[in-house]
């Protein structure tokens, strides 16, 4: 082995390998309208499914009458829980071992829950039919607030569960409580802040949907569905339906954004499959926007109290956090089953902290189930928000510059691999380097001066500067630690080189817009010296791809990217023996040259051979010592996760009269180890920052006291537009992962994870001279104006 690609040295072999800005292969079909999404799938005889949803958040279903719907021309069936019970499909397991009704059996537990389904010849008739289904409800008192749900007189939502006498789901804790208490008692300074990470929704452009097609001739169920994890979904479908797994095919075609929303299985998929099975015709179910926001996996909804203990010089000694987590009506968080709070216990962040302790209580409420990893690795977003906000609170308490206080506490670059106080093994990092670069790019000192000037002059617009120096944790497995419903989180790649020298790479992960068809081809191009145009990447079809656990938590590059590199290296090993045969030399005398991408005889560089010539040799003149053909498979179980990081600096102008916040400067320095495609990374950063801004400034799923969703459509759930998004200045450092075959870490979610605290820190910073320590997200003008008013700064 030649040691793998080196940081920043691998650019420019010119074949589209590592570090080259290869244009996205998939864009040709997307920009010419040739994408193929679930709703584009049309099958002969296909029926359409529309779901009848509850207007109440908490109610007993007394009676369902579908007769008026059945009278409509074109309505084929009305399904209720009773019909599903006949096929043992009335309930389905969630990814956290709870049981959710597919169609409500007895009691509605959140508004818009699935009560019945109408199947019709076309979508309009199905919708008309759904409006004609009559449901009698006995309305019950709902509880939507997590604190109120724990009160003694709160209505019990999950009374059907044995031993469930209240709305409490679980308690979880991490770290060393006693040691942390000791550190806090002995500390010079302690600070405390309560903060909510509001309920938000991934809101992908494409909502969820499925086309289920039961073939009674082959006894085979094919489901085209919006899936971020087709293989895991195949296993679950088989387990729930009883159809043997080899007779289930899941196809996830082009997917219009997932962001964690398409990891769980939703009732609509199951209803479509059940209807197809019963009616023996293909059935399509496609969600509307409000159904997507109101019923599918939400994210966050953590009410957190953070505490930090430090010396008077601002050296952090201890961190404590207590969380109340609203999980909605079912425990349906999408995260590895051994981690009820996801990776929240990475809340010590980028800092070398002596002692830490975290506790969390999960609660049922009459709200939609969820807790998905929205562009994040299982609750790392909440953890990063907590610690990066607390560092700012401490800096203000001690009157130390927030950049300086970070510098005093960073895990030093020579301390890696580093084990955190809560047991995570960080692979590599150089936090100070990233911060220094960001400070320079942001012209930090200049803005600090300008901030002072505005305060002295009592200006109408205040300036705030916010920093976030976050650490991420991406690339789940290892399989022994991380699983979905018991399946270990490895991933896979299957590489086949054809006789004419081009190749097909099949991977176990499924892209939702991240550009895998390009970057995974680049990994193979780098490792085999092949031209990137000669490699095609296939994914998303369980009949043809190797088993994988799917794309979420930025795990594709750390896990399947590693599998692709290892599979390519296996092919390269075999290629060496074929090269020896072709060049009539001993195998020990053959050397692979990464620069030229060719094999040559040691000491005789002109006696060389390309991978295309080797491919021909593999099929037309294979050495007797080898099997014919040129292919390899790798199932990769990562030894550890990867820990990308970055420093973001945000400068905002806060209008004291209106509470409006304008972005003056937005600097993002990221480090994802060795970079495969800088242009795709740039796109990932831009998109993620936009979603971070959305979280900080605009988005929230809200409920009234009756459990009505008041932020459940795009009129009320404020998605950002180009107008709200500023210019970004991006930069990078490169700290390779020591255990990843190509030194790469994930990157897709860093900006969404890292930017909200930088933005909130900036708004708080504009008012901290007047004593403000926190402003809640989303920081709409009214929220900011209230904070200004409280600080005596409003005009
Ligand atoms: O799992 P997901 O694809 O969402 O996240 P990721 O592994 O962070 O990758 C997002 C995109 O960035 C993919 O196209 C990656 O191949 C690319 N990427 C890269 O070019 N270099 C890296 N070091 C990390 C990711």
């Amino acid at each position: 082995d030649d040691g793998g690609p080196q940081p920043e040295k691998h650019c420019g072999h010119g074949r589209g390998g590592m570090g080259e800005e290869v244009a996205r292969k998939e864009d040709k079909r997307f920009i010419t309208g040739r994408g193929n999404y679930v709703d584009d799938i049309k099958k002969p005889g296909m029926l359409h499914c529309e779901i009848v949803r509850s207007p109440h958040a908490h109610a007993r279903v007394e009676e369902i009458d579908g007769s008026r719907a059945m009278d409509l021309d074109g309505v084929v069936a009305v399904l209720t829980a009773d019909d599903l019970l006949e096929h043992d499909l009335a309930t389905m397991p969630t990814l956290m071992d709870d049981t959710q009704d597919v169609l409500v059996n007895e009691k509605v537990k959140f508004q818009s829950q699935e009560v019945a389904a109408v199947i019709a010849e076309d979508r309009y008739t199905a919708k008309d039919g759904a409006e004609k289904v009559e449901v009698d409800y006995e309305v019950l008192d709902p509880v939507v607030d997590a604190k109120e749900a724990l009160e003694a007189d709160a209505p019990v939502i999950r009374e059907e569960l044995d031993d469930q006498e209240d709305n409490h789901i679980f308690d979880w804790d991490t770290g060393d409580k006693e040691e942390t208490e000791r550190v806090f008692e002995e500390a010079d300074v302690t600070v405390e802040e309560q903060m909510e990470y509001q309920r938000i929704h991934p809101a992908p452009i494409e909502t969820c949907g499925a086309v289920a097609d039961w073939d009674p001739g082959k006894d085979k169920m094919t489901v085209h569905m919006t899936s971020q994890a087709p293989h895991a979904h195949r296993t679950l479908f088989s387990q729930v339906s009883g159809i043997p797994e080899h007779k289930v095919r899941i196809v996830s075609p082009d997917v219009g954004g997932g962001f964690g929303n398409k990891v769980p299985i939703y009732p609509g998929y199951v209803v479509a499959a059940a209807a197809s099975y019963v009616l023996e015709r293909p059935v399509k179910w496609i969600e509307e926007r409000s159904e997507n926001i109101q019923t599918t996996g939400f994210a966050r909804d953590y009410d957190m109290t953070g505490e930090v203990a430090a010396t008077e010089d601002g050296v952090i000694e201890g961190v404590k956090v207590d969380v109340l987590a609203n999980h909605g009506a079912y425990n349906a968080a999408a995260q590895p089953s051994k981690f009820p709070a996801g990776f929240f216990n990475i809340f010590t962040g980028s800092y070398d902290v002596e002692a830490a302790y975290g506790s969390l209580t999960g609660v049922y409420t009459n709200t939609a189930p969820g807790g998905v990893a929205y562009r994040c690795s299982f609750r790392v977003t909440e953890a990063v928000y907590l610690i990066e906000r607390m560092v700012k609170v401490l800096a203000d308490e001690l009157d130390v510059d927030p950049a300086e206080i970070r510098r005093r506490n960073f895990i030093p670059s020579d301390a890696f691999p580093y084990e955190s106080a809560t047991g995570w093994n960080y692979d590599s990092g150089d936090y100070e380097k990233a911060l220094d670069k960001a400070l320079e790019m942001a012209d930090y000192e200049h803005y600090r001066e300008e901030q002072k000037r505005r305060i002295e002059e009592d200006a109408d617009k205040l300036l705030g500067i916010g920093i976030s120096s976050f650490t991420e944790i991406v690339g789940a497995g290892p399989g022994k630690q991380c699983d979905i419903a018991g399946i270990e989180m490895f991933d896979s790649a299957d590489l086949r080189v054809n006789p004419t020298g081009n190749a097909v790479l099949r991977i176990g992960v499924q892209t939702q817009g991240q550009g895998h068809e390009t970057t995974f081809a680049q990994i193979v191009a780098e490792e085999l010296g092949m031209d990137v145009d000669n490699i095609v990447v296939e994914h998303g079809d369980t009949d043809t791809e190797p088993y994988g656990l799917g794309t979420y938590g930025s795990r594709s590059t750390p896990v399947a990217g590693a599998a692709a590199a290892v599979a390519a290296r296996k092919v390269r090993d075999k290629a060496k023996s074929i090269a020896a045969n072709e060049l009539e030399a001993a195998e020990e005398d053959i050397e692979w040259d990464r620069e030229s991408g060719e094999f040559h005889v040691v000491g005789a560089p002109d006696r060389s051979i390309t991978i295309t010539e080797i491919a021909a040799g593999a099929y037309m003149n294979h050495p007797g010592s080898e099997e014919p053909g040129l292919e390899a498979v790798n199932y990769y179980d990562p030894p550890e996760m990867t820990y990308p990081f970055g420093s973001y600096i945000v400068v905002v102008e806060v209008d004291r009269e209106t509470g409006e916040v304008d972005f003056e400067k937005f600097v993002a320095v990221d480090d994802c180890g060795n970079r495969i495609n800088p242009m795709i990374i740039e796109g990932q950063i831009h998109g993620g920052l936009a979603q971070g801004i959305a979280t900080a400034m605009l988005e929230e799923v809200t409920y009234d006291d009756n459990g009505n969703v008041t932020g459940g459509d795009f009129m009320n759930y404020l998605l950002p537009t180009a107008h709200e998004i500023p210019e970004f200045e991006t930069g990078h450092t490169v700290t390779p992962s020591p255990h990843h075959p190509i030194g790469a870490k994930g990157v897709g979610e860093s900006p969404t994870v890292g930017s909200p605290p930088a933005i909130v820190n900036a708004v708080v910073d504009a008012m901290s001279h007047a004593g403000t320590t926190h402003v809640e997200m989303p920081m709409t003008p009214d929220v900011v104006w209230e904070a200004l008013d409280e600080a005596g700064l409003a005009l």
Side-chain angles (χ1 to χ4, degrees), residues 18-19 24 26 228 375 474 509-520 522-523 550-559 561 644 671-682 684 742-750:
M18 286 282 291
R24 286 169 36 118
E26 41 273 88
Q228 290 181 237
R375 206 166 184 161
V474 306
V509 292
Q510 158 61 21
T511 185
Q512 308 113 42
Q514 295 93 328
H516 292 176
E517 287 164 43
T518 309
T519 48
F520 279 74
Q522 288 185 256
I523 294 172
T551 294
Y552 40 83
S554 287
R555 64 186 296 282
S556 301
T557 305
V559 193
D671 192 318
C672 58
N674 286 344
R675 294 149 33 101
I676 304 165
N677 186 325
M679 184 173 61
I680 283 183
I681 292 173
E682 180 90 356
Q684 293 285 310
I742 55 170
K745 305 181 179 186
V747 75
E749 62 197 37
S750 291

Side-chain angles (χ1 to χ4, degrees), residues 333-355:
Q335 53 208 11
S337 64
K338 295 188 189 83
F339 294 85
F343 298 165
F344 185 74
N345 58 345
I346 192 161
F347 63 78
T348 54
S350 308
Y351 310 104
D352 188 12
V353 177
E354 199 181 317

